[in-house]
Each structure stands twice: as C-alpha cells, then as structure tokens.
C-alpha cells in the first residue's frame, strides 16, 4: 500500500477520533437522538470522502501522465485538452439530478412533510414519555428534579448557589431578608403570593400594640425580627401588627403567606405570577409545566431547611 | 452552441444572467404576499422601542443573538413558542441573526426584566459568571437618537401602511393603538414618557438623573425594546 | 503587430495588490482580536470600559472583520488579478486605450475612498444589520458606482480583445460581475428616512423595503450568493489561469470546465434557503435550498477535480513549487468546504449546525484554505512579473505554507467540535424531561476550543505577515530577471 493512503488513514482516524472523544466525552452525547447521530455521520462522511477522493487525484499526479487532444485556442500560452469528463463524477451528477427531480415531484409531495407537524409529534412523544413518569416523582426525587429546573432556568438570576448574586435577586437560602420585609411593611405587597389577588396593606394600616400606625423604629425592629427567623427583639410588634395574618410563628394563614419558611405552594405562586419587589422584578414562568413548578418549589423549600 | 456563446460576449452575458436570475424569481416572489401579514396581537414598535431597536442594531447584538425560535422541543422549552411569520411583519430589517453565541432573544421580554438587563448590560460577568458577552457601559451615557426613530415611523407609515394611530387587534379580542406623534417635539415627549416608566425599575443613579432632566440614555431605549420582545 | 509582444499595463493591478495586502492584514488582525475576545472577554475592555470600549468590543469589530476581509481583501485581490489576467487572456493591453486606463484608475480610487468611509461608518455603528450588506444607502450607491466601473473595464477590454474566444477565467469574472450587481441592488432596496420624513433624524439612515420573513428570504438569497460570487467564482477564475500558467500544463478537460460552469450558475442561486432552514419561510423553499445544496457538490467539485487532474503526472512540481502547493491545497479545501456546506444544508444536520460555531468553521476552511491561499498564490505568481524580479525567498514561502495550514487545521477542527458539542447540548433533555443545560453551560464548555481557534488564527496571521514581507521584499530587492525566465514556473531565490 502506498504511503499516502497510510497518511490518509492517520489523518481521518485522528480527526474522527479527536471529534469522537471531545464531543461524546462532553455533556451532549448521542442520547439516542436521530439528529445527533446524523450529524456525527455527516461529519465523518465529510472527512472520509474528502481525504480519500483527494488521495485518488494525488495518486494520479504521482503516477499518471497528461495527454489528449488540445483545443485550437491557446490563451496566454494556456491550452485545454478535449478530454471527456470523469465518468464517476458525471454519473453521480446525473444521479443527484434525477434524485432531485424525483424528490420534488414524488418524494416531497407524497411525504407531505411539515416542520410544524414534526414538531407536534416530537412534543407528543416527549410528553407521553414523561407524563407517566411524573406521577411517581416525589420526595427527594422531586427535589432533585427541582434542582435540574433551577440550574437550567433560575441560576441566571439567583446564582448557582441561589444566593441572589449580591442582592440582584432574592437570596433563596433564607426565607426573607430585612429589606424585603421592610418594603412589604412600608409599601404593602401585591404579588399574588397566595395565588390570588390578596394585597397586604401598607404601614398606615398596620397597628402596634398602642393601636396607632406602626412607627419607623418599630418597622426596623420587626423586620430584623422576621429576617432573623423570629428571634431577638420585636415579637411584641409582630404579635400586634402581623400575627393576625401571618400567625404567631409566621407560618401563614389563608390571608397571609408563610413568612417563616418557603413552601412549595408559595414558590409555585411566584412562578405563576412573577413578583415585583424592592430587589427587582421576577418574571412569571409560564413555559414551565405544573410538575416542573412543583419541583422547583420543592427544591427552593429544601434550600433553607 | 456553447462555443458560439464563448465567442459572443454579449449573448454569453445574457445567458449567464438568465440562468442566475431564474431561481430568485421562483423562490422569492410567491412568498411575498403571504408572509407579510401581521399576526393578531403583533403591534408596531412604539417610539422608544424603535429607538431601542436602533441601539440593538448599532451595536450588532445580532452578531451573537438570534431572534428566531425553531420548532424543536428543546427550543420551545428554552425560549417559548416557536416563531410565526406574522410576528415579524413590522421588522425592517429582520433580525433573525445567524449565530447564537448568546441565547435567542425573540421572547426575552417574557423571562428577563428591566433590573436584570440593567445589571447585565453593565457587567455581564457579575450576573452570569463565565459569560463572554461584553459589557455595554457606554449605553448608560450616550443619548438615544429618538429623532431617527421618529423619522422611521413616519416613513413606514407613509410607504408601507404600518398602522400607527390605528386600533390593532389583540389576541383577547380587544384592540391596542400604538401612538405616533404629529410633531417631532411631541415624539420626543412621548419617548421621554415611555422612558420614565422604564426608569422606575432601574437603580443606576446617573440614568435616573438623566431621564429626570429629559435625556434618554441608550440603555433605557434598549431595555424598552428588550421588554417588547414577547 | 503579432510578432512584437504586447506591453501590458499593470499599474492598476499593482494598486489593488497593495490594497489587498494592507486591508487583508488589518482585516485578519481584527479577526484574531475578536477570536481572542471570545476566548478571554476581558480583552473587550482592554482600553478601559469607558468611551473607547465602544470601538474595541466584539460586536462592533465583528462586522469590521467580515466586511473588510470580504470586500476589502478579497475584492481587491480579485481586481488585482482581473487587471492582470484580463489583459493577458484577451490579448489586449490597457495602455491601448486612454479611456480604459481612466476607468481603471477611477475604479481603484473610488473604491479606496469607499473602503475608508466603510471602515469609519462601521466603527461608528452605522449599519443596516443585514449580514454582508451592512452599509447604509450612501455607501451602497458608492459600491454600485465602483461595480459599474469594473463592468466598464470588463466590457472595454472584451470589446478590444484580439483573442476572440473567451477563456474560462473570463466566464467567471463576467458571472461575478452580473450576479453581484443583481444581488446587491435587490437586497439593498431601502427608503432613506431623512428624505421621507422631510428632514428628520440621521441623513444616512434608511429602512428596508422588505419586512420580516420576506426580508430574510431576500437577504439570504443575497447572502448565500454573495459567498458564491465573491468567495467562489472569482477565485475559480484565478485558479483557472494561475495554476495552468504556473505549471505549464494544459487544462485537463474543456468539457468538465463547461459543465461545471453552467451547472454552478444554474444551481447556486437556488441554494440560499439553507440559511433559513426551520425558519418561518415555507417548507418548500427550505426543501429547495437543501436539495440544490446537495446537487451543488458536483459542479463545485467539477472545477476542483479539473484542477487536480491538470496536475496529473506533475507531482514533482507540487512537491517543489510552493505556489503550486498553495493552489493544490486551495483546491483541496475548496472540495472540503463544498462538501461540508451541503452536509450542513441537510435539514437534520442543520438542526444542530445552524447558529453554532460549526458554521464558523465551515466559513473559515473555505475562506482561509481556499480564498486566501488562492489569492496568495496568485500574488506570488504576479509580483515577479510586475517587477521583473525573482521571488525574494522560497524558504519563507514554504514555512509560511505550513504555518498557515496548521493554523487552518486548528481553526476548523476546534470550531466543528465546538459547534457539534454546543448543538447537542442545546438539544439535550435530562432524565426528568427538563432541559439538561442552561445556556451559559453551553458557553463555558467552549472555552478551550475558543482558545485553540485563537491560536490557529494567530498562526495564520503570522504566516500572512510573512507573505506580505516576502512580496514587498520581492518588489524592492528581488534579483532582476529576464522576461524569458518568467514564462511558466516563477523564479525564486532560496
Ligand atoms: C486570521 C484569520 C482569521 C481569524 C482569526 C478570523 C476570526 C473570526 C472570528 C473570531 C469570527 C467570529 C465568529 C463568531 O462570531 O463566532 C469570524 C467571522 C467571520 N470571518 Fe473570519 N477570521 C479570519 C480570517 C477570515 C478571512 C480571510 C475571511 C474571508 C475571506 C473571513 C471571513 C469571515 C466571515 C464571513 C465571518 C462571519 C461568519 C458567520 O457569520 O457565519 N475570516 N472570523
Ligand atoms: C457547495 C457549496 C456550499 C454549500 C452548499 C454551502 C452551504 C452552507 C450552509 C448550509 C451554511 C450554513 C447556514 C446556516 O445554517 O447558518 C453555510 C454558511 C456559510 N458558508 Fe457555505 N456552503 C458552500 C460553500 C461555501 C464556500 C466555498 C464558502 C467560501 C468561503 C462558503 C462560505 C460560507 C459563509 C461565509 C457562511 C456563513 C453565512 C452566515 O453568515 O451565516 N460556503 N454554507
Ligand atoms: Ca453569520
Ligand atoms: Ca446595504
Ligand atoms: Cu449558503
């Protein structure tokens, strides 16, 4: 065998090997996805065909000799042979033409392909596959699933560790930070946190033990109290101003959300309606399905436990 | 026959032209009428949004970001509903892009917010560690060119009948009217009014101050545009 | 008349050569810069994050790169060869007509002026955003003028020709002229807003005549064929002249040239749809794009095979003459990219490849391996003949060849792996049926490939700088040689 074929094999094998190792070693992988498989096949065909066709012509440069009848003209000394076209080339050319004509007149119309139709089928298959599975995902598995949602969708704002990236989104490792509580008291809150329109009144309608509107100092105290997990000073203010809606221990009622810890339902409500607060605006996530939201809720709840 | 052509340059050129012009006619013409109709719920851009679109183009965001969601499960999961032709009816030029160095932005208004954009455009690396998107801090300083946006509104209304100041049907059966000012002076005022709403959710003091005194930094227009992408 | 050799006038050709080298270097330097910016984004703000960052950041520079290499480097390279090859194969000297000389000079100087304005306007962010047609209407008019002047030059030289039959290269130059004229005019139709609104806003701003899906359709009909008729047909025109001329071999087959040419003309124009697969254009247009892309392999490979077969039995020339090496390697990369393109145009493959770096890889194995190699080969062939001097250094040529080849290999292998990896990650769902990766995961994973690409690009640029040095030294210091030594194989000093 000629040396050049050996080189051809080496080049092809190393390119494909390198690609194989890098691509499949990475996180994508085939996943049994036909598109992935076709792509790799296409890439392999590209290298193999080019390398070996070129080698064929290099062999001709090495061993063949040029001859044939020349045309009459000579352009600046350049001549042209009247050689016939290479057979292989001509045949494949004709075959692709015939294939194209067949494809347009028969193949394509008969298949009546539609990309949207294909999409709908894919979605159906996907949904069927997971609908059955979803029912059995509970407990720790649900938290795991929630983590997967979080890493794909939420970490962009809340950060990989859900710390809120320096206060640009909520720190989900704690239920509430003092500035958020303070904002709710001062301005009220109106974010459908209970899953429906149920606003919290602002400071003018929150009363301390003396029965008058809550004061600046009291707001600071009670905000710290809530943010610290209901410890320290401020329980008196809390009991008079807040407990009626949020319960003594902050675990919430039908008309005030849980402010002691996250609940999956609270998170789902936030995902359904978004939230606009002192930190910024959290968008609603309509493109997640119910199970994904539930899972995200379970995950977020688990973070501060 | 071919050899004859090769001796007669004029007819040669004619033959070449006929050969290459043919495909364009067949491919392009039939599609024109059909795909230029707006989808229900698609509205023209407001003054500030259009100015923001110009900021987007000026900085070639389309070099890294597409605005075309293909009908694949993985894309609709990531970005939302796949794109429909009618949604682009007011896009001159189209901004589909051809490279996704960054994510698609066709519906970014659904899942990113004013304050997030503000932080991100100022310092992408802080918001999204590992990103390769550059910071665009000069946008917090440079003024938006509202005048050119207004000129474009006049032009598209005049030449292409873009329905400014006319009720446009929405998905829920209601209608919406996008305003185009009668005068340049009014257009500037309209843009400023839009800017005031955006700035309410922003924290950058220089930007807030600028809008306070009637200037509109580019970032505000850009965010108005980003938020309109739904 | 017939006995005395014609005195060809190469002054316009020389001007274009130097422009090509200059803009080529700058354009590729910008390419190298943006490649490093993708690997290390801090470079975006290397001069601080204030006012200057606006002009050093990736997105402003990227257009500058694409347009300056394509319309600055490649087009002036093409014209340098036109003003050389045109005269020789038509057997007529520019000097025979004062008008033709004026047209040539006007063509050059107006072009240069437009190029300068273009750079400034792109840096300022004045763009219509359509890829490869970014320039606003005043520049579009300027480009039209330049193009018509070139057309006048073609028509003029052909009108005066002594060789009655048009050589293959001339076919391709004519096709380039006609196609780009048509594409440029139709894609850039726009209404200047300043005039339409009676004087409001920026005077140079315009709004496209087409909206949305229609605009996309016209743009990619343009975009694909701009590639075809700027990065392909004029380059084929070059190889059909310079390879047989340098090697002294006759073209392998007239029939193959003929079938490839007319096949290319007919088929190329249909394939634009492959840039907008799975978009909102109708399915049938996309299918046309895919199917014709596959057929397109054949007329493309036809030309390349014709060139390789022209070297039949001439291996010792390939081995010993670096100019021929550039051209044979160029043909090989041409075959590679015209097989790669059609594979990427198959819908299922495009589902992954589109929007990823694999496309960037495809662009550059065509551009670096085919276009730039051919232009360098052509310049190396022309320079000794323009100055009656020997090539300054063959060693530089040979070294440069291998450095650049290595650069290309690093470039496209890293990019195709990056593209396929990213494409697969975008599609992946995990065991719960959720997206497996957030977008940023698919960005950080590419970092090593971006670094490899940047290294490859830097190597390529180094090779190009060696090329410029060699050319300049040839023109200034090369040993003088007799006209008789310049017939075929170019004389070169070790
Ligand atoms: C030193 C050599 C070069 C380097 C390092 C280089 C680098 C780059 C980079 C980094 C990009 C942007 C890719 C992205 O957005 O992901 C790019 C785009 C591009 N370059 Fe180059 N380039 C080089 C030479 C060339 C040459 C010689 C040409 C043409 C003759 C060329 C044509 C293009 C085109 C057309 C694009 C846009 C591709 C697309 O949008 O799909 N480049 N280049
Ligand atoms: C048989 C010939 C060819 C076919 C069928 C073909 C096909 C393709 C396809 C399918 C794409 C990707 C579209 C996408 O998904 O975004 C593409 C992009 C591209 N190709 Fe080719 N290609 C061919 C030859 C070439 C050659 C010889 C060059 C010369 C350098 C070239 C330059 C480009 C460029 C610059 C792009 C990027 C366009 C963009 O900005 O998106 N192609 N081509
Ligand atoms: Ca592109
Ligand atoms: Ca233009
Ligand atoms: Cu193309």
């Amino acid at each position: 065998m000629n040396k050049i074929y050996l080189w051809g094999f080496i080049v092809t094998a190393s390119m494909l090997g390198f690609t194989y190792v890098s691509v499949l070693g990475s996180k994508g992988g085939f996943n049994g996805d036909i598109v992935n498989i076709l792509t790799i096949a296409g890439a392999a065909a590209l290298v193999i065909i080019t390398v070996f066709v070129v080698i064929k012509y290099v062999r001709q440069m090495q061993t063949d000799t040029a001859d044939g009848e020349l045309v009459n003209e000579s352009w600046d000394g350049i001549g042209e042979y009247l050689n016939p076209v290479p057979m292989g080339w001509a045949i494949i050319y004709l075959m692709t033409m015939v294939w194209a004509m067949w494809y347009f007149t028969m193949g394509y119309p008969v298949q009546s392909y539609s990309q949207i139709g294909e999409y709908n089928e894919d979605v159906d298959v996907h949904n069927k596959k997971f609908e059955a599975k979803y029912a059995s995902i509970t407990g720790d598995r649900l938290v795991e699933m929630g983590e997967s949602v979080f890493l794909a969708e939420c970490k962009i704002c809340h950060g990989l560790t859900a710390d809120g990236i320096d206060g640009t989104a909520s720190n989900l490792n704690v239920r509430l930070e003092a500035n958020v509580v303070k904002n709710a008291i001062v301005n009220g809150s109106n974010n459908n946190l209970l899953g429906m329109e149920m606003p919290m009144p602002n400071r003018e309608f929150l009363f301390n033990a003396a029965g008058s509107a809550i004061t600046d100092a009291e707001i600071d105290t009670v905000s710290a109290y809530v943010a610290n997990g209901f410890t320290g000073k401020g329980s008196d203010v809390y009991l008079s101003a807040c407990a009626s809606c949020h319960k003594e221990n902050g675990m919430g009622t039908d008309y005030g959300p849980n402010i002691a810890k996250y609940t999956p339902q609270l998170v789902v409500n936030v995902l359904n309606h978004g939230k606009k607060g002192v930190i910024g605006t959290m968008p609603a996530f309509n493109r997640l399905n119910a199970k994904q939201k539930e899972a995200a809720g379970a995950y977020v709840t688990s973070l501060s436990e | 026959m071919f050899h004859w052509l090769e001796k007669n340059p004029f007819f040669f050129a004619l033959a070449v032209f006929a050969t290459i012009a043919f495909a364009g006619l067949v491919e392009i013409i039939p599609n024109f009428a059909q795909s230029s109709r707006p989808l229900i719920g698609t509205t023209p851009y407001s003054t500030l949004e259009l100015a923001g679109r110009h900021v987007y183009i000026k900085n070639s965001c389309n070099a890294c970001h597409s605005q075309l969601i293909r009908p694949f499960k993985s894309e609709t999961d990531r970005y939302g509903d796949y794109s429909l032709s009618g949604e682009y009816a007011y896009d001159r030029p189209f901004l589909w892009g051809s490279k996704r160095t960054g994510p698609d932005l066709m519906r970014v208004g659904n899942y990113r917010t004013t304050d997030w954009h503000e932080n991100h455009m100022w310092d992408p690396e802080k918001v999204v560690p590992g990103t390769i998107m550059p910071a665009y801090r000069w946008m917090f300083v440079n003024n938006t060119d509202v005048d050119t946006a207004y000129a474009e509104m006049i032009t598209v209304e005049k030449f292409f009948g873009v329905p400014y100041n006319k009720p446009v049907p929405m998905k829920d059966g209601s209608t919406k009217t996008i305003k185009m000012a009668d005068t340049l002076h009014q257009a500037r005022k309209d843009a400023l009014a839009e800017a005031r709403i955006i700035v309410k959710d922003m924290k950058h003091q220089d930007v807030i101050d600028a809008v306070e005194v009637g200037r509109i930094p580019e970032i505000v227009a850009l965010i108005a545009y980003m938020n309109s992408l739904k | 008349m017939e006995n005395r050799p014609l005195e060809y006038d190469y002054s316009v050709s020389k001007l274009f050569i130097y422009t090509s080298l200059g803009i080529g270097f700058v354009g590729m330097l910008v390419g190298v810069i943006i490649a490093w910016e993708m690997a290390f984004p801090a470079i975006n703000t290397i001069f601080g994050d204030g006012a200057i960052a606006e002009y050093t950041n990736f997105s402003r520079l990227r257009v500058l790169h694409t347009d300056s290499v394509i319309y600055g480097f490649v087009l002036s390279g093409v014209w340098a060869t036109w003003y050389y090859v045109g005269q020789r194969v038509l057997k007529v000297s520019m000097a025979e007509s004062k008008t033709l000389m004026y047209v040539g000079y006007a063509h050059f100087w107006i072009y240069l002026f437009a190029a300068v304005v273009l750079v400034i306007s792109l840096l300022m962010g004045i763009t219509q955003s359509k890829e490869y047609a970014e320039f606003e209407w005043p520049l579009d008019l300027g480009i039209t003028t330049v193009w018509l002047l070139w057309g006048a030059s073609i028509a003029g030289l052909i009108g005066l020709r002594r060789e009655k039959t048009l050589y293959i290269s001339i076919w391709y130059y004519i096709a380039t002229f006609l196609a780009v004229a048509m594409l440029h005019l139709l894609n850039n139709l726009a209404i200047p807003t300043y005039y339409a609104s009676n004087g409001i806003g920026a005077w140079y701003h315009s709004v496209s005549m087409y909206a949305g899906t229609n605009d996309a359709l016209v743009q990619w009909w343009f975009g694909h064929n701009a590639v075809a008729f700027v990065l392909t047909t004029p380059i084929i025109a070059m190889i059909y002249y310079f390879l047989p001329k340098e090697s002294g071999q006759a073209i392998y087959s007239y029939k193959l040239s003929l079938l490839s040419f007319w096949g290319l003309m007919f088929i190329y124009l249909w394939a634009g749809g492959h840039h907008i697969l799975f978009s909102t254009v109708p399915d049938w247009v996309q299918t046309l794009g895919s199917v014709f892309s596959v057929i397109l392999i054949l007329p493309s490979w036809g030309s390349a095979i014709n060139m390789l077969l022209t070297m039949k039995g001439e291996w010792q020339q390939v081995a010993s003459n670096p100019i021929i090496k550039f051209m044979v390697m160029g043909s090989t990369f041409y075959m590679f990219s015209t097989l790669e393109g059609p594979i990427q145009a198959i819908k299922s493959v495009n589902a992954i490849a589109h929007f990823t770096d694999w496309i960037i890889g495809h662009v550059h194995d065509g551009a670096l391996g085919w276009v730039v190699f051919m232009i360098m080969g052509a310049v190396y062939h022309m320079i000794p003949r323009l100055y009656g001097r020997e090539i300054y250094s063959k060693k530089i040529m040979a070294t440069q060849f291998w450095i650049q080849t290595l650069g290309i290999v690093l470039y496209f292998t890293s990019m195709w792996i990056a593209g396929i990896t990213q494409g697969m990650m975008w599609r992946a769902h995990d065991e719960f049926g959720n997206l497996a990766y957030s977008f940023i995961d698919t960005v950080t994973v590419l970092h090593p490939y971006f670094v490899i690409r940047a290294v490859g690009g830097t190597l390529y640029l180094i090779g190009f700088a060696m090329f410029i040095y060699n050319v300049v030294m040839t023109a200034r210091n090369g040993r003088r040689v007799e006209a008789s030594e310049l017939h075929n194989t170019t004389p070169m000093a070790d």
Side-chain angles (χ1 to χ4, degrees), chain C residues 287-310:
Chain C
T287 305
L288 270 180
S290 271
V291 169
F292 273 96
S293 299
V294 173
I295 310 180
L296 195 50
I297 301 171
L298 278 305
S300 305
W301 278 39
S303 301
I305 291 173
N306 209 5
M307 290 300 108
L308 295 180
L309 285 175
T310 295

Side-chain angles (χ1 to χ4, degrees), chain C residues 188-430:
Chain C
N188 283 300
L189 289 183
I191 302 177
T193 55
Y194 181 81
Y195 299 99
S197 64
N198 294 321
I200 297 177
W203 63 274
Y204 48 75
H205 181 74
S206 67
V207 53
S208 173
M209 286 282 280
Y210 321 107
T213 303
N214 291 336
D215 200 32
L217 203 61
V218 177
Q219 155 64 24
W220 284 112
W221 170 74
F222 161 91
H224 169 70
N225 295 296
V227 166
F229 289 91
V230 176
L231 299 179
T232 302
T233 52
I235 315 298
I236 300 180
M238 291 181 196
I239 198 164
Y240 264 113
Y241 175 83
F242 290 103
L243 185 66
K245 185 73 189 169
E246 177 73 24
S247 67
Q249 297 300 301
I251 298 289
Y252 170 71
S253 164
Y254 165 72
K255 283 194 197 119
L256 188 50
S257 320
L258 193 69
L259 281 177
S260 304
F261 175 79
W262 289 101
L264 203 70
M265 291 303 110
F266 182 70
I267 293 162
Y268 235 120
L269 273 289
W270 295 87
H274 62 222
H275 292 269
I276 35 183
L277 296 179
F278 294 109
S279 73
T280 62
V281 305
D283 280 340
W284 68 268
V285 175
Q286 303 183 23
T287 305
L288 270 180
S290 271
V291 169
F292 273 96
S293 299
V294 173
I295 310 180
L296 195 50
I297 301 171
L298 278 305
S300 305
W301 278 39
S303 301
I305 291 173
N306 209 5
M307 290 300 108
L308 295 180
L309 285 175
T310 295
M311 295 310 293
K312 216 161 72 164
E314 297 296 321
W315 182 251
Q316 80 289 352
Q317 288 212 50
V318 182
S320 68
N321 184 342
I323 297 186
I324 293 191
K325 269 207 192 84
F326 276 118
M327 297 200 252
V328 169
M329 191 60 104
S331 306
T332 305
F333 275 112
Y334 181 56
M335 290 171 77
F336 188 82
S337 62
T338 53
L339 180 58
E340 187 177 38
I343 287 175
Q344 293 178 331
I346 295 169
K347 270 190 114 174
S348 313
V349 178
N350 194 266
I352 284 202
H354 187 51
F355 288 141
T356 70
D357 286 294
W358 190 9
I359 306 298
I360 306 300
H362 162 69
V363 171
H364 289 86
D365 49 50
L368 303 177
W370 157 241
V371 179
V372 183
F373 267 27
M374 269 314 302
I375 292 180
M376 291 193 304
V379 171
Y380 270 140
H381 176 93
M382 291 190 291
I383 277 284
R385 288 156 178 89
L386 301 186
Y387 290 94
R389 291 172 188 271
E390 178 182 68
I391 293 278
Y392 173 72
S393 165
K394 183 173 173 182
K395 208 174 277 152
I396 294 185
M397 286 168 96
T399 320
Q400 167 209 348
F401 175 83
W402 289 112
I403 292 182
Q404 290 186 298
T405 303
L406 176 64
I408 303 171
V409 171
L410 290 180
Y411 198 126
F412 79 75
T413 44
S414 59
M415 285 300 99
W416 92 348
I417 293 173
I420 296 175
T421 303
Q422 193 182 37
M424 286 184 173
M425 285 175 80
W426 286 345
R427 291 178 69 81
H429 283 93
D430 66 11

Side-chain angles (χ1 to χ4, degrees), chain A residues 223-268:
Chain A
S223 300
Y225 174 75
V226 172
N228 291 335
F230 298 83
T231 52
K233 285 197 304 180
S235 65
D236 51 335
V237 186
Y238 182 82
L239 288 175
S240 60
C242 323
S244 59
C245 298
H246 293 285
K247 225 171 178 178
E248 299 75 24
N249 55 7
M251 297 297 265
T253 63
D254 284 349
Y255 31 89
N258 191 328
I259 54 174
K261 58 199 273 291
Y262 282 108
T263 61
Q265 192 52 48
L266 180 94
V267 177
V268 171

Side-chain angles (χ1 to χ4, degrees), chain A residues 27 73 76 133 148 292, chain C residues 88 165 241 431 434 437:
Chain A
K27 305 166 178 175
E73 292 92 347
D76 195 22
K133 205 170 173 190
S148 116
Q292 288 170 319
Chain C
R88 297 183 70 115
T165 315
Y241 175 83
E431 51 170 331
N434 303 327
Y437 303 104

Side-chain angles (χ1 to χ4, degrees), chain A:
Chain A
M1 201 172 60
N2 193 280
K3 208 172 72 185
I4 189 144
Y5 284 105
L6 191 64
W7 272 109
F9 279 117
I10 294 176
V11 168
T12 317
S14 55
M15 264 196 78
L16 294 181
F18 191 43
T19 307
Y20 184 83
V21 171
S22 323
V23 172
L24 298 185
S26 90
K27 305 166 178 175
F30 276 149
N31 289 323
D33 183 342
I34 182 74
V35 168
N36 291 351
I37 294 165
L38 278 173
T39 302
I40 290 286
L46 166 60
V47 180
I48 296 170
I49 296 175
T50 314
V51 168
F52 288 97
V53 171
V54 170
I55 285 182
K56 170 186 179 319
Y57 292 110
V58 168
R59 288 296 296 151
Q60 279 185 274
M61 291 179 203
Q62 290 177 333
T63 57
D64 213 348
T65 47
D67 57 9
E69 199 186 322
L70 283 165
V71 296
N72 296 328
E73 292 92 347
S74 150
W75 295 268
D76 195 22
I78 300 174
E80 278 174 21
Y81 290 118
L82 282 168
N83 287 331
V85 299
M87 261 331 242
W89 179 83
I91 289 172
I92 300 177
Y93 202 167
L94 269 178
M95 274 166 38
T96 53
M97 298 285 239
V98 171
W99 166 74
M101 265 181 267
W102 170 83
Y103 196 79
F104 271 112
T105 52
M106 315 269 300
Y108 178 63
V110 169
Q111 245 186 344
S112 66
Y113 171 82
S114 124
Q115 61 187 30
I116 302 302
E118 188 176 50
Y119 169 77
N120 290 335
E121 274 170 32
D122 278 359
V123 171
D124 265 0
V125 171
H126 185 98
N127 288 349
K128 285 227 177 69
K129 182 166 160 201
F130 288 102
E131 255 159 30
K133 205 170 173 190
Y134 277 169
S136 66
I137 299 180
T138 50
D140 286 352
R141 289 287 284 164
L142 193 63
V143 172
E144 248 178 77
M145 175 173 173
E147 181 172 15
S148 116
V149 174
F150 186 86
L151 291 179
E153 301 281 359
C154 321
K155 75 157 183 246
I156 296 297
C157 295
H158 292 278
L160 192 58
T161 56
D163 64 352
I165 319 179
D166 277 353
T168 52
S170 296
N171 176 352
L172 299 175
N173 295 307
V174 297
R175 173 63 186 94
L176 287 162
E177 285 181 332
N179 62 333
V180 176
V181 184
K182 186 172 170 183
N183 177 59
I185 301 172
V186 174
N187 299 316
S189 174
N190 191 2
N191 282 310
N192 289 284
L193 291 177
L194 291 167
M196 58 192 160
E197 188 75 18
M198 164 87 76
M200 155 157 161
N202 67 21
R203 61 184 294 174
E204 285 168 37
F205 303 95
L206 297 173
F207 305 103
N208 57 22
S212 53
I214 189 167
T215 66
D216 286 347
E218 283 165 342
I219 292 176
D220 287 339
T221 318
V222 78
S223 300
Y225 174 75
V226 172
N228 291 335
F230 298 83
T231 52
K233 285 197 304 180
S235 65
D236 51 335
V237 186
Y238 182 82
L239 288 175
S240 60
C242 323
S244 59
C245 298
H246 293 285
K247 225 171 178 178
E248 299 75 24
N249 55 7
M251 297 297 265
T253 63
D254 284 349
Y255 31 89
N258 191 328
I259 54 174
K261 58 199 273 291
Y262 282 108
T263 61
Q265 192 52 48
L266 180 94
V267 177
V268 171
N269 291 339
V270 171
L271 289 175
N272 284 335
H273 301 282
K275 180 178 188 230
K276 186 164 173 173
V278 66
I279 304 175
T281 310
M282 148 100 192
F285 267 86
N286 299 322
R287 62 171 191 243
L288 295 178
N289 63 34
K291 189 71 183 187
Q292 288 170 319
K293 288 177 185 165
E294 187 192 335
Y299 177 68
V300 171
T301 307
S302 78
L303 285 175
S304 48
E305 264 165 9

Side-chain angles (χ1 to χ4, degrees), chain C residues 40-292:
Chain C
F40 300 100
I43 301 173
N44 281 292
T45 47
I46 198 157
F47 297 114
D49 51 26
I52 301 177
E54 183 170 355
Y55 309 101
T56 58
N57 93 92
F58 179 87
S59 52
R60 285 280 169 91
L61 291 183
R62 191 188 194 272
V63 247
L64 197 63
H65 165 63
T66 57
D67 287 336
S68 63
V69 287
I70 296 177
Y71 300 116
F73 166 66
V74 177
L75 270 190
S76 43
V78 167
W79 286 326
T81 65
W82 160 254
Y83 283 103
Y84 180 92
V85 176
Q87 302 183 62
R88 297 183 70 115
V89 300
L90 293 168
K91 251 194 222 159
V92 50
S93 168
M94 295 260 294
E96 291 174 57
S97 156
K98 269 223 167 64
T99 321
L100 270 186
M101 287 306 296
Y102 284 133
V103 169
Y105 281 122
H107 177 197
F108 174 77
W109 288 109
I110 298 178
Y111 164 75
L112 193 66
F113 176 73
V116 173
V117 178
L118 182 156
V119 168
I120 297 172
S121 74
L122 288 180
L123 273 177
M124 285 169 65
I126 299 173
T127 152
Q128 288 177 313
S129 93
K130 289 181 158 193
E131 265 189 290
Y132 317 120
E134 284 89 354
F135 331 113
E136 272 291 0
W137 66 269
L139 262 168
D140 285 339
L141 289 180
I143 293 167
T144 310
T145 314
V146 172
W147 206 257
L148 290 177
L149 284 166
W150 182 38
S153 162
I154 298 181
L157 270 185
I158 290 183
L160 295 178
R161 76 191 187 284
R162 292 198 181 74
E163 173 55 63
K164 286 300 163 205
T165 315
L166 301 182
Y167 181 57
I168 308 165
S169 298
I170 303 292
W171 311 349
Y172 281 101
Y173 284 120
I174 292 178
T176 305
F177 170 76
L178 290 173
V180 174
M182 168 180 84
L183 299 164
H184 173 72
L185 289 178
L186 286 178
N187 189 42
N188 283 300
L189 289 183
I191 302 177
T193 55
Y194 181 81
Y195 299 99
S197 64
N198 294 321
I200 297 177
W203 63 274
Y204 48 75
H205 181 74
S206 67
V207 53
S208 173
M209 286 282 280
Y210 321 107
T213 303
N214 291 336
D215 200 32
L217 203 61
V218 177
Q219 155 64 24
W220 284 112
W221 170 74
F222 161 91
H224 169 70
N225 295 296
V227 166
F229 289 91
V230 176
L231 299 179
T232 302
T233 52
I235 315 298
I236 300 180
M238 291 181 196
I239 198 164
Y240 264 113
Y241 175 83
F242 290 103
L243 185 66
K245 185 73 189 169
E246 177 73 24
S247 67
Q249 297 300 301
I251 298 289
Y252 170 71
S253 164
Y254 165 72
K255 283 194 197 119
L256 188 50
S257 320
L258 193 69
L259 281 177
S260 304
F261 175 79
W262 289 101
L264 203 70
M265 291 303 110
F266 182 70
I267 293 162
Y268 235 120
L269 273 289
W270 295 87
H274 62 222
H275 292 269
I276 35 183
L277 296 179
F278 294 109
S279 73
T280 62
V281 305
D283 280 340
W284 68 268
V285 175
Q286 303 183 23
T287 305
L288 270 180
S290 271
V291 169
F292 273 96

